[in-house]
Amino acid sequence: IWGLAGIAGTSVGAAWLLRRNSAGPVRAGVVGNALCAWDEAGGDIWRHPFPDVLRDHKGDEGMLRDPRRQVQIADLYGNGRRQVLFAAEFEREVGGPLRDELFCFSSEGKILWRYSPDIAVTMGDTRFSGPWLLSDMLIAPGGRRKVIWLSLAHWNWRPGAVIALDPDGHATLKFVNTGQLYALGWASNDHKNYVIAGGVNNEYACAALAVLEESAPPSCSPQTPGTRFECVDGPKGQPERYFLLPPSEITAASDS
């Protein structure tokens, strides 16, 4: 009897451990040139080394301004298993542009998909085709299947954009901005959900804030028609709200 009880206890304990570990890591981060994932006790679950060198100097372009947003863990499919999203920023090759790419890892550390922004927009008579920097990442709350929102900034020039990805990595262009975008937020009001994108508007030379309803058609920042700031081949809709924030006296005096 005691032997059977011991076997049963061991089986129950093993099943509990499997269920707990099957949910996936609770924390992940960059160590050296690898992405590492850990469990609740801080034990290693998996480690993924990258063949290309990751940028690690803080205060750089892209998501390294706030590295806490660079690695995020969520149950994207609503099935109780967590995935790890990592916005990888690679060192540029000599004479080449910066390169950013979003990786989605399974609970076991397998790459499920990867996304490299490949959009192109024309503003005025100039076409901007990337590469694009991943400036922020937001996993929208609510819903069984999560939506991943990315803000993009052109590596060298003025445009910015907001992309929505489904759990399988399929991307939809949701917003184009005449000016780079740096940060994303989320809000809910009157039974509607909104993604908020903060950055700059180049035509008006000031900070800007776009409020985008999650389910709304793609939109662009409102610009003066016929100018080099108008988006001529991208989304034509209007955001829910678009705020321009006048520069401060210090900004004006420093011409920055």
Side-chain angles (χ1 to χ4, degrees), residues 7 45 61 64 75 80-81 91 115 148 160 180 183 188 243:
I7 293 173
I45 298 180
E61 300 92 341
L64 288 179
D75 178 4
R81 297 178 65 83
E91 289 284 0
Y115 170 71
I148 307 149
Q180 296 192 350
S188 179
F243 298 97

Side-chain angles (χ1 to χ4, degrees), residues 97-126:
L98 298 170
R99 180 169 66 90
D100 289 5
E101 193 170 2
L102 179 65
F103 289 81
C104 180
F105 292 89
S106 70
S107 299
E108 296 78 24
K110 176 185 176 182
I111 296 178
L112 298 177
W113 51 263
R114 51 202 294 181
Y115 170 71
S116 180
D118 59 355
I119 65 171
V121 297
T122 301
M123 292 182 172
D125 58 357
T126 305

Side-chain angles (χ1 to χ4, degrees), residues 1-13:
I1 292 175
W2 288 113
L4 290 174
I7 293 173
T10 301
S11 300
V12 170

